[in-house]
Amino acid sequence: MIDVNAHILLIYTGGTIGMVENPATGSLEPFDFAHLNNHIPELQRFKFHVDHIVFDPVIDSSEITPEHWKKMVHIIEDNYDDYDGFVVLHGTDTMAYTASALSFMLENLHKPVVLTGAQLPIGKLRTDAKENLITALEIAADKNQLGYPIVPEVCVFFQNDLLRGNRSTKVNADNFNAFKSYNYPNLGKSGIQIRYERKAIHTPDYEKKTIFHYRLDNRIASLKLFPGIDKQTVEAILTLKNIRAVILETYGSGNAPLSPWFLDLIRETVKRGVIIVNISQCEIGLVNMQRYETGRELLRAGVISGFDATFEAALAKLMFLIGHKYDKEDIKIRMRVPLIGEITRPEDRDNETI
């Protein structure tokens, strides 16, 4: 049920969705959002009100940093009481990173924050921008019969799929269906109607306030294993100065080489107080370090499981926890439990009803 009295704030950070082609030069330029209805006349059929804020300057998504995430949160916090929902227009390349970060920075979110973008500029004849933007606005304005938002969480809408933000990842640079959520059900699907998977959608505690967080620490590295990786490469990453955490991208269900030099480097890094989180290179499935001896060796060395988290979610969660200055043991505990639906542990998978 779309609330005809809803007020939605559109936040344009940059990206293809907000570009039009200059007829004289052929180059892409940001269009004037004051003339949004001229580009998408279908918006005039909505009964709810849409305002907009545009980043100045707009940011190519490959240039996004934690400072831009903080700016988005500031905009949402400053306007939180005046709007029923928020739509963030964002470049596709780092949209899943931003969605993951915002999911932790907006604690106990009561209102929809829908990220969307496009593979083609809004002025192109075959653009996907109009469909994505129109539906994202509808989702932000949708409420249930009790008047509560249907999707009160950070999510990504793209090419008919509504995904939990911290479960999404970009999988396609050429086609319109650019994002997938491999290890968690879609929150919804748009067709003739928008069909929501109510059981999959997070329900906040409406008795408690939303908390806006700004502390992030990006002293994190990633190490992706490959056959033939040598000691010098691994050592260079694990001994980086001031590093606080490393995301170890392993094979299969969390497996890695048993070479003595490799395990010695892992143990030495953990002893220095660096947190190492094990994430699988596989898109589907989860890390289970109890399954094979290679995983058990990592577990004994002090590596912790990232379960079925996306790389983007693991990175954002570490930035968030380290930024809040939790001690090492506390961070290790919090990385093993879902804060906002970003992971499913093996024992929880066995009891899933969705």
Side-chain angles (χ1 to χ4, degrees):
M1 180 181 67
I2 295 176
D3 183 358
V4 296
N5 297 313
H7 284 66
I8 307 301
L9 182 61
L10 187 66
I11 304 167
Y12 177 54
T13 66
T16 301
I17 191 170
M19 296 292 181
V20 291
E21 190 173 71
N22 184 312
T25 65
S27 62
L28 294 177
E29 301 172 350
F31 73 79
D32 186 351
F33 272 79
H35 301 122
L36 181 62
N37 286 339
N38 294 335
H39 293 281
I40 309 180
E42 295 90 341
L43 292 180
Q44 298 178 49
R45 299 175 63 181
F46 284 146
K47 301 301 181 182
F48 56 81
H49 189 73
V50 180
D51 291 323
H52 67 271
I53 290 177
V54 179
F55 269 32
D56 184 18
V58 295
I59 306 297
D60 185 285
S61 71
S62 62
E63 299 285 352
I64 287 287
T65 70
E67 293 306 310
H68 297 117
W69 297 338
K70 294 176 188 178
K71 182 175 180 179
M72 294 175 209
V73 172
H74 269 300
I75 291 172
I76 293 170
E77 181 177 16
D78 291 345
N79 294 278
Y80 195 69
D81 293 335
D82 298 325
Y83 292 91
D84 298 279
F86 303 85
V87 172
V88 179
L89 302 185
H90 195 290
T92 60
D93 286 347
T94 56
M95 186 186 297
Y97 288 92
T98 296
S100 294
L102 294 184
S103 75
F104 298 109
M105 297 170 76
L106 300 169
E107 182 182 343
N108 197 40
L109 183 64
H110 294 179
K111 303 178 181 183
V113 174
V114 188
L115 282 80
T116 194
Q119 297 286 63
L120 286 176
I122 206 163
K124 291 287 188 180
L125 185 62
R126 295 179 52 253
T127 184
D128 56 333
K130 290 184 179 181
E131 176 71 22
N132 287 347
L133 175 54
I134 289 170
T135 308
L137 289 168
E138 287 190 57
I139 292 167
D142 243 353
K143 295 185 178 180
N144 62 25
Q145 293 180 341
L146 298 176
Y148 290 105
I150 293 179
V151 191
E153 61 173 285
V154 178
C155 50
V156 168
F157 178 79
F158 217 91
Q159 186 64 15
N160 301 326
D161 291 329
L162 179 63
L163 314 174
R164 173 164 290 167
N166 58 36
R167 293 286 193 153
S168 64
T169 192
K170 186 176 180 182
V171 298
N172 201 316
D174 293 327
N175 296 331
F176 289 149
N177 56 338
F179 288 84
K180 294 292 182 186
S181 173
Y182 287 108
N183 289 312
Y184 193 78
N186 286 9
L187 304 185
K189 189 88 172 176
S190 72
I192 295 174
Q193 295 180 330
I194 303 173
R195 300 183 302 278
Y196 295 104
E197 294 295 334
R198 306 290 180 117
K199 292 182 179 179
I201 296 171
H202 176 74
T203 301
D205 185 345
Y206 287 107
E207 298 298 319
K208 297 181 180 179
K209 293 183 178 181
T210 300
I211 302 174
F212 303 88
H213 294 283
Y214 296 94
R215 295 179 181 177
L216 298 170
D217 192 321
N218 63 354
R219 290 177 292 172
I220 300 166
S222 66
L223 173 58
K224 186 170 186 174
L225 300 182
F226 59 87
I229 193 168
D230 59 25
K231 181 178 179 179
Q232 289 72 28
T233 301
V234 175
E235 191 171 34
I237 293 173
L238 295 184
T239 59
L240 285 169
K241 188 178 180 181
N242 296 325
I243 202 76
R244 296 294 309 277
V246 174
I247 300 175
L248 181 64
E249 295 184 75
T250 57
Y251 308 123
S253 57
N255 302 312
L258 289 176
S259 305
W261 65 262
F262 178 81
L263 292 173
D264 285 345
L265 283 173
I266 293 292
R267 293 188 193 99
E268 290 168 8
T269 304
V270 172
K271 285 180 181 178
R272 293 200 323 270
V274 177
I275 297 160
I276 302 181
V277 179
N278 189 347
I279 295 293
S280 175
Q281 295 178 24
C282 298
E283 301 285 6
I284 301 174
L286 78 165
V287 167
N288 183 352
M289 290 190 286
Q290 300 282 5
R291 183 172 294 175
Y292 299 107
E293 181 60 25
T294 54
R296 288 193 289 271
E297 283 295 333
L298 290 177
L299 192 60
R300 284 191 281 267
V303 175
I304 63 174
S305 176
F307 300 111
D308 62 352
T310 64
F311 178 88
E312 296 93 333
L315 178 74
K317 188 174 182 179
L318 283 168
M319 283 187 179
F320 175 80
L321 294 175
I322 296 169
H324 281 72
K325 301 188 184 303
Y326 293 110
D327 63 40
K328 182 184 71 172
E329 292 306 314
D330 202 2
I331 291 174
K332 290 170 72 172
I333 291 170
R334 290 171 187 267
M335 285 299 295
R336 295 190 187 104
V337 298
L339 301 184
I340 186 63
E342 73 283 356
I343 58 173
T344 307
R345 297 173 298 180
E347 58 268 33
D348 297 327
R349 282 184 169 229
D350 295 338
N351 298 318
E352 277 186 342
T353 58
I354 57 174

